[in-house]
Amino acid sequence: GQQVMQIPQYQHVQEGEDFTTYCNSSTTLSNIQWYKQRPGGHPVFLIQLVKSGEVKKQKRLTFQFGEAKKNSSLHITATQTTDVGTYFCAGNRNTGFQKLVFGTGTRLLVSP
Amino acid sequence: NAGVTQTPKFQVLKTGQSMTLQCAQDMNHNSMYWYRQDPGMGLRLIYYSASEGTTDKGEVPNGYNVSRLNKREFSLRLESAAPSQTSVYFCASSGARAVEAFFGQGTRLTVV
């Protein structure tokens, strides 16, 4: 079945440093979504990427979708303590109904 | 606007006991999902319902059953709980053309 892997599993940075998490799917995706989960909370949607090679930005966050639509990355510039949490990518092979397969997640810890 | 509501928030079961996790959404979404989250495993899809009246198995359906009671409600039943089912369970929903999945607050289940 479809598998989505994320690296690294965990990263601890100092506030102000950059952070990147990478997501790789075993199959070509129709789209990919990114979610953030704060400690003790539930996943919250950040963004969806659909087009091959697409790049989207949300303030300090930059999301990329690979040319082959099998990988993606999330880069945070100048991390803040509010960025703490686990970041998940979620891949979807369908063009209509969203049946998301979540990655294993990257847990980010930011020290002040 | 409640979004996705799950009950209960916490539950402790003894091995062999049964229970039903309830989920309701008030966003008129067609699709609903049950995920479980275990440390280092990300979110794994148990069952989903693409639309009212249909249900389908996800990645890890063994030991679970579901009921799509109506468009709003999607319940998850554990017939004979096992310690391996100790996990955090999330219900989610998405609309026909909605980009994102909306998650409930989660149910923390411990089976002893």
Side-chain angles (χ1 to χ4, degrees), chain A residues 33 35 37 40-43 45 48 88 97-100 102-104, chain B residues 31 33 35 37 42-43 45 48 50 90 99-101 103-105 108:
Chain A
Q33 299 181 3
Y35 289 78
Q37 183 178 24
H42 60 281
F45 175 81
Q48 175 172 280
F88 292 98
F97 168 68
Q98 296 273 35
K99 184 182 172 186
L100 298 171
F102 278 78
T104 45
Chain B
S31 305
Y33 315 80
Y35 289 90
Q37 184 173 30
L43 291 103
L45 184 63
Y48 65 96
F90 286 101
V99 171
E100 67 205 88
F103 284 80
Q105 298 295 320
R108 297 181 183 277

Side-chain angles (χ1 to χ4, degrees), chain B residues 39-66:
Chain B
M41 303 287 289
L43 291 103
R44 292 182 292 170
L45 184 63
I46 306 171
Y47 270 93
Y48 65 96
S49 171
S51 60
E52 186 179 359
T54 69
T55 61
D56 238 318
K57 295 178 180 179
E59 304 166 71
V60 288
N62 291 344
Y64 305 94
N65 283 301
V66 290

